[in-house]
Amino acid sequence: MMAALAKAISRATGTNLDVETLKILVIFSGAGLLVSLVAAMIYGQAFNGALF
C-alpha cells in the first residue's frame, strides 16, 4: 500500500518519492497531529473559558 501511495504521489507531483521518505513524512505528520490533539484536549477548556 505504501509503495502504491508513493508511486501515485510521485506521478502527481513529478518528483521522485520513495517509500522510506513517505514513511518518514507519515510518522512526523502523525506525531504532529497527536501533539496538536493532546494540546487541544489539555488547553481547550482554558481557551473556552477565556473567550466567553
Side-chain angles (χ1 to χ4, degrees), residues 1-2 4 8 12 19 21-22 28 34-36 42 48:
M1 170 141 175
M2 288 294 258
V19 176
T21 305
L22 184 62
F28 279 112
L34 181 64
V35 169
S36 297
I42 291 171
N48 193 17

Side-chain angles (χ1 to χ4, degrees), residues 17-49:
L17 183 69
D18 60 345
V19 176
E20 294 301 318
T21 305
L22 184 62
K23 285 181 184 178
I24 292 170
L25 288 172
V26 167
I27 288 170
F28 279 112
S29 297
L33 179 62
L34 181 64
V35 169
S36 297
L37 289 174
V38 169
M41 288 176 16
I42 291 171
Y43 297 112
Q45 297 294 328
F47 288 145
N48 193 17

